[in-house]
């Protein structure tokens, strides 16, 4: 099993060595000791520690808070603050660095070990969540369908690039606007507005299908679409919004019309072919006979 690598940033040599001795008892690997914020940044880049114990009050031009901000932004390595100062102003500044914990001097070994263990676990979970977010984002942005998400009030919260193209709205402009304003869908034949389901009224609403419809985008163009609407639920099964998947089926319809035309017309003359003529003639004769 790999030992977690720790970097200690403490400008008092005695305290730093005492920390190293205590942490090595818990089987942590101390990869370096730094006495200034600048040296902490340099050693972070060089040694890639798993976690950093950072004293807030350091000698030099950069204190531990400023160093932690840079390390968090550039290297995404968790920092635990060590400090004998717990005044409100210092803590407010420290929050800006988003530390994974605080340890007040003088500290106890059990407290030290527990804080580090929790911080390492939290950082591990955060990395997994961020990776899942990146994967989800990559999928949503590369998928061929337009994906639109709303909150419980049916206001837009997310749109992928395909949805932006179909609707003519950018995600930034659409955010917070009502779904029916950004995605005005109408029945293809009657031009009646599509009735988006009231997700708050129907707690057990199943997936709703969109078909035989057109969407009038922001530029006023009518685009034939099909798709579906699904409810989004949180881990407690409470409704958290909805997601709409839309497809522009213009090419599909054009291809279908082209195939039908080729099947019923002569390629050379453009006139209806013998099969289509015979079928149409038979229908007319039967219709005439039925009226007699």
């Amino acid at each position: 099993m790999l030992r977690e690598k720790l970097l200690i940033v403490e400008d008092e040599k005695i305290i730093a060595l005492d920390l190293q001795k205590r942490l090595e008892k818990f089987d942590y690997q101390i990869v370096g000791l730094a006495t200034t914020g600048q040296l902490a940044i340099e050693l972070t880049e060089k040694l890639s520690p798993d976690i950093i114990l950072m004293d807030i009050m350091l000698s030099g031009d950069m204190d531990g808070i400023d160093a932690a901000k840079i390390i968090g932004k550039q290297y995404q390595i968790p920092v635990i603050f060590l400090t004998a100062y717990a005044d409100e102003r210092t803590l407010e500044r420290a929050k800006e660095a988003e530390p994974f914990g605080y340890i007040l001097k003088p500290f106890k070994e059990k407290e030290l070990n527990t804080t580090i263990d929790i911080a390492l676990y939290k950082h591990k979970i955060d990395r997994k969540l961020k990776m899942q977010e990146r994967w989800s984002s990559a999928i949503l942005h590369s998928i061929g369908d337009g994906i639109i998400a709303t909150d419980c009030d049916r206001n837009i919260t997310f749109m992928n690039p395909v949805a932006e193209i179909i609707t003519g709205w950018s995600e930034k402009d659409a955010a917070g606007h009502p779904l029916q304003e950004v995605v005005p869908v109408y029945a293809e034949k009657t031009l009646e507005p599509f009735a988006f389901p009231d997700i708050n009224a129907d707690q057990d609403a199943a997936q709703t299908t969109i078909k035989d419809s057109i969407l009038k985008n922001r530029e006023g163009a009518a685009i034939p679409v099909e798709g579906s609407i699904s409810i989004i639920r949180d881990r407690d099964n409470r409704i958290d919004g909805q997601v709409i998947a839309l497809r522009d089926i213009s090419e599909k319809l054009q291809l279908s019309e082209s195939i039908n035309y080729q099947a019923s017309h002569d390629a050379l003359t453009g006139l209806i072919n013998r099969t289509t003529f015979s079928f149409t003639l038979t229908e007319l004769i039967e219709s005439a006979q039925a009226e007699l």
Side-chain angles (χ1 to χ4, degrees):
M1 182 177 179
L2 295 175
R3 298 162 63 196
E4 286 89 356
K5 299 185 293 181
L6 272 71
L7 172 64
I8 296 174
V9 185
E10 170 62 66
D11 60 358
E12 294 188 32
K13 192 71 172 179
I14 295 176
I15 296 178
L17 292 173
D18 178 57
L19 266 173
Q20 180 176 2
K21 182 179 178 181
R22 295 190 190 201
L23 292 169
E24 286 176 342
K25 286 171 56 178
F26 292 113
D27 206 30
Y28 293 115
Q29 180 185 358
I30 310 305
V31 295
L33 301 175
T35 55
T36 66
Q38 184 59 46
L39 182 57
I41 295 170
E42 294 172 4
L43 289 179
T44 297
E45 181 176 10
K46 180 180 178 181
L47 303 173
S48 299
D50 296 307
I51 196 166
I52 299 171
L53 300 184
M54 178 87 71
D55 189 9
I56 288 180
M57 307 304 292
L58 296 172
S59 57
D61 298 330
M62 183 184 300
D63 67 7
I65 296 174
D66 291 333
K69 287 180 182 179
I70 295 172
I71 289 170
K73 183 177 181 179
Q74 294 185 1
Y75 307 105
Q76 294 79 52
I77 293 175
V79 171
I80 294 175
F81 281 134
L82 304 170
T83 182
Y85 301 91
D87 62 278
E88 205 62 37
R89 184 179 177 184
T90 300
L91 290 176
E92 284 301 316
R93 277 194 64 225
K95 288 178 184 177
E96 298 175 4
E98 299 181 357
F100 278 68
Y102 297 87
I103 299 177
L104 299 179
K105 301 176 184 178
F107 43 78
K108 298 179 180 179
E109 287 186 355
K110 185 177 181 180
E111 176 190 5
L112 183 65
N113 183 46
T114 301
T115 303
I116 294 172
D117 192 42
I118 291 174
L120 285 168
Y121 177 77
K122 183 177 182 295
H123 182 58
K124 182 180 179 181
I125 297 301
D126 284 353
R127 283 194 301 177
K128 286 184 177 180
L129 289 174
K130 288 178 180 177
M131 181 178 293
Q132 289 176 353
E133 288 176 0
R134 289 195 295 270
W135 275 100
S136 298
S137 178
I139 292 170
L140 288 173
H141 283 74
S142 62
I143 197 169
D145 288 358
I147 304 297
I148 302 161
T150 77
D151 57 21
C152 288
D153 296 320
R154 291 194 295 185
N155 294 322
I156 303 295
T157 58
F158 170 83
M159 295 176 68
N160 72 347
V162 176
E164 291 180 321
I165 294 172
I166 294 174
T167 64
W169 286 74
S170 68
E171 182 184 27
K172 181 179 179 181
D173 289 344
H177 285 259
L179 173 63
Q180 288 179 307
E181 178 184 351
V182 179
V183 191
V185 178
Y186 302 87
E188 184 179 21
K189 294 181 179 179
T190 65
L191 295 182
E192 292 183 1
F194 178 79
F196 286 97
D198 185 348
I199 57 177
N200 293 311
D202 188 2
Q203 297 294 313
D204 298 316
Q207 187 181 75
T208 302
T209 300
I210 300 173
K211 59 182 180 178
D212 300 325
S213 301
I214 60 169
L215 180 147
K216 290 188 178 179
N217 68 15
R218 201 174 189 183
E219 286 75 37
I223 300 173
V225 294
E226 62 182 18
S228 61
I229 305 170
S230 302
I231 299 298
I232 304 172
R233 297 181 184 271
D234 62 18
R235 63 178 61 189
D236 297 320
N237 204 38
R238 291 174 300 197
I239 293 177
D240 204 25
Q242 62 186 166
V243 61
I244 299 92
L246 283 177
R247 290 176 293 279
D248 179 349
I249 59 172
S250 300
E251 291 187 6
K252 177 182 175 181
L253 293 178
Q254 289 174 0
L255 180 61
S256 177
E257 290 176 1
S258 177
I259 292 174
N260 290 336
Y261 182 86
Q262 291 175 18
S264 60
H265 289 71
D266 181 78
L268 181 62
T269 64
L271 300 174
I272 58 173
N273 57 30
R274 180 179 297 178
T275 301
T276 304
F277 176 78
S278 298
F279 179 79
T280 303
L281 181 60
T282 300
E283 280 192 328
L284 290 173
I285 293 171
E286 291 177 350
S287 178
Q289 290 175 340
E291 293 177 358
L292 293 177

